[in-house]
Amino acid sequence: MTNAELSKRDLAHIWHPCSQMSDYDEIIPIKQAYGAVLRDFDGKEYIDCVSSWWVNILGHSNERIAKAIANQADKLAQVILAGFSHEAIIKLSERLCASLGAPFNKCFYGDNGSAAVEIALKMSYHKNKLQGLEKPLFLNLKNSYHGETIGALSVGDVEIYKLSYGGILINAISTKVPMSFKDNEVSEDEALSDLASILKDYGHKISAFIAEPLIQCAGNMNMPSPSFYKKACEMVKNARIDVIFDEIAVGFGRTGTMWAFNQIGFVPDFICISKGITGGFMPFSVVLTNDSIYNEFLGDFSRAFLHSHSYTGNALAAAGANAVLDIFEDENIIEKNRSLSAFILAEFASLKNHKKVHNFRQCGMVLAFDLINVPKNSVKNMRFEALKRGLVLRPLENCVYFMPPYVISHEQISYAARQIKQMIDEL
């Protein structure tokens, strides 16, 4: 089977995500993947510079994760989690609570990142309602992204995703966020002042504030400082508003610590986790919260949190997630990432003062920069040129980012840095 044959069959039936299908003359079918490399049906290899939408943190076809899932499949694949349980999900819940630390002591499972955000939003609103408080609003940061189901989309602020759906979104307010983009600079003081004004006018109606700690990934990899998040969250909590941290993309070591909130010095009420939780093997998500919130839902059935997913707590996904935690513990991933991120910075450092590069930045295993003074559509077309050079890139508007699996080699990093610089020189 060839790329061309499979591409024709694909385009006959498959509607691809986050795509304008009329842009596609062909689709690249992947036959196999290993480590940081994808291989198509014609034998061409590509370095996965985006961890396949940020999920394959420990590399493709990781043997330990694959084996754990296969072993679980021999015993139990799925069981209803309402009134039943299984060893893998119990073990995972204990380990996640221990990893995040007090006061996180309760886990509620979903099957993707958007679902986790929906769960947290509903929990916050429902908890307030049980306390006799009607708080119909949610607060988010400008430039944020939290998923594309209705509730998650409502609390995001990347216009391209939500522009068509304004008539069906829930009520949310966006507050300013520090930015260093060329045509959109916002200082930390300006952002905090805007937040103070919003809290004064609407604080009593806001159920929860949701934020992506440290990196607004789909928001062109904007990287506000830890101090901003700490100050903003303290202001929000003083207004008796819940805080939700969306660690879907930034958790599991991506920012340099196991959890991004570890660098902020503030503990939220809810944390949403997904993407890297199974190392890219299975869709899975979890919301962690504390006993104080959990206890509000105890009593007769009318107080219960009636939210469910058919695959909640799936045993195969839980086994994969436990294997991911095993790898972090046994292979000292966080320390290795610190060394690897330093190497990435060194290899890309020559771009920092490039005349076409602005706002060069890095947070842990994410390096990003904005391209300026380049022809229209050249950044978009860079993705296709990168494929010719054996790289999978997915620029965000004029932002080019490097967010590879943690198993990427020094040689692969160096090759990617050289090719990206050459492409920029040629724009």
Side-chain angles (χ1 to χ4, degrees):
M1 196 63 65
T2 66
N3 281 4
E5 291 170 330
L6 285 169
S7 178
K8 183 178 179 180
R9 289 167 60 187
D10 174 291
L11 289 171
H13 300 290
I14 299 176
W15 193 343
H16 288 259
C18 204
S19 301
Q20 173 47 258
M21 293 304 297
S22 61
D23 288 344
Y24 289 123
D25 294 322
E26 62 178 1
I27 296 293
I28 300 174
I30 299 302
K31 184 174 184 179
Q32 57 187 163
Y34 52 91
V37 175
L38 308 175
R39 180 184 293 153
D40 67 22
F41 277 75
D42 291 345
K44 182 175 176 62
E45 293 189 341
Y46 310 84
I47 299 172
D48 187 353
C49 300
V50 298
S51 301
S52 288
W53 253 339
W54 320 335
V55 300
N56 286 92
I57 59 174
L58 298 172
H60 296 273
S61 304
N62 184 286
E63 291 183 6
R64 290 186 68 177
I65 303 173
K67 185 176 180 179
I69 293 173
N71 288 341
Q72 181 64 47
D74 286 337
K75 297 180 290 186
L76 174 70
Q78 169 69 8
V79 65
I80 182 174
L81 207 67
F84 293 86
S85 191
H86 54 85
E87 186 177 5
I89 200 68
I90 294 169
K91 180 180 179 182
L92 176 62
S93 301
E94 292 171 340
R95 297 175 77 183
L96 287 173
C97 289
S99 179
L100 272 73
F104 295 105
N105 201 35
K106 292 294 183 291
C107 301
F108 194 101
Y109 290 92
D111 50 20
N112 63 76
S114 294
V117 169
E118 300 273 349
I119 289 164
L121 296 176
K122 287 176 66 177
M123 275 186 180
S124 174
Y125 175 79
H126 195 168
K127 180 264 300 181
N128 282 312
K129 194 167 186 177
L130 291 171
Q131 293 176 340
L133 303 172
E134 181 59 32
K135 293 188 171 186
L137 301 179
F138 292 95
L139 177 65
N140 68 312
L141 293 174
K142 288 184 179 295
N143 195 54
S144 60
Y145 174 90
H146 298 288
E148 292 171 42
T149 50
I150 297 302
L153 191 63
S154 299
V155 295
D157 187 56
V158 179
E159 184 178 9
I160 191 171
Y161 296 109
K162 62 188 297 184
L163 187 62
S164 299
Y165 309 106
I168 58 174
L169 300 181
I170 63 175
N171 295 323
I173 301 172
S174 297
T175 186
K176 290 182 180 179
V177 64
M179 292 180 175
S180 299
F181 301 132
K182 187 175 187 294
D183 299 319
N184 195 0
E185 295 188 6
V186 178
S187 70
E188 184 172 306
D189 287 344
E190 183 181 350
L192 292 173
S193 176
D194 188 50
L195 175 59
S197 178
I198 288 172
L199 293 176
K200 180 181 178 181
D201 293 340
Y202 301 101
H204 62 292
K205 295 182 179 180
I206 297 171
S207 180
F209 167 60
I210 184 168
E212 306 151 279
L214 300 186
I215 309 176
Q216 293 185 307
C217 292
N220 293 346
M221 296 295 165
N222 186 38
M223 300 179 185
S225 70
S227 67
F228 165 74
Y229 284 100
K230 188 174 192 303
K231 292 171 185 176
C233 289
E234 287 174 344
M235 290 169 64
V236 166
K237 283 307 293 182
N238 286 338
R240 298 184 178 181
I241 296 169
D242 293 333
V243 175
I244 302 168
F245 274 179
D246 173 354
E247 294 230 12
I248 290 162
V250 298
F252 286 95
R254 185 57 79 175
T255 64
T257 49
M258 189 64 176
W259 310 108
F261 85 95
N262 295 150
Q263 300 179 47
I264 293 173
F266 180 88
V267 179
D269 301 285
F270 303 90
I271 287 187
C272 302
I273 300 170
S274 189
K275 287 197 182 288
I277 191 170
T278 67
F281 275 76
M282 303 281 292
F284 201 46
S285 66
V286 59
V287 176
L288 288 102
T289 190
N290 55 62
D291 281 333
S292 176
I293 290 172
Y294 170 83
N295 289 339
E296 291 289 343
F297 292 85
L298 300 181
D300 62 40
F301 196 71
S302 66
R303 298 184 70 87
F305 183 61
L306 299 181
H307 182 103
S308 59
H309 295 266
S310 300
Y311 282 87
T312 293
N314 176 256
L316 300 179
N322 275 313
V324 167
L325 292 177
D326 288 341
I327 293 169
F328 269 89
E329 292 171 5
D330 298 343
E331 300 182 22
N332 204 14
I333 297 298
I334 298 298
E335 284 301 317
K336 287 181 179 179
N337 278 2
R338 287 174 183 151
S339 174
L340 199 58
S341 63
F343 184 82
I344 290 171
L345 180 60
E347 291 299 289
F348 281 86
S350 63
L351 288 174
K352 193 167 187 178
N353 297 313
H354 196 290
K355 63 182 180 180
K356 298 177 183 177
V357 170
H358 174 73
N359 195 18
F360 186 93
R361 55 203 182 273
Q362 185 187 36
C363 181
M365 286 291 291
V366 183
L367 183 139
F369 51 86
D370 306 322
L371 292 180
I372 57 173
N373 305 320
V374 295
K376 186 178 181 180
N377 293 325
S378 62
V379 184
K380 176 183 176 182
N381 294 333
M382 190 175 176
R383 174 161 61 103
F384 303 106
E385 176 61 27
L387 290 172
K388 297 176 185 177
R389 298 169 184 248
L391 300 177
V392 177
L393 293 178
R394 197 170 177 88
L396 298 159
E397 296 183 357
N398 70 325
C399 169
V400 177
Y401 70 90
F402 189 67
M403 196 171 176
Y406 305 159
V407 297
I408 192 169
S409 69
H410 283 195
E411 292 75 19
Q412 290 166 336
I413 293 168
S414 298
Y415 175 80
R418 288 197 306 274
Q419 294 302 316
I420 290 170
K421 184 178 185 303
Q422 287 179 16
M423 285 188 283
I424 294 170
D425 288 339
E426 294 168 8
L427 290 178

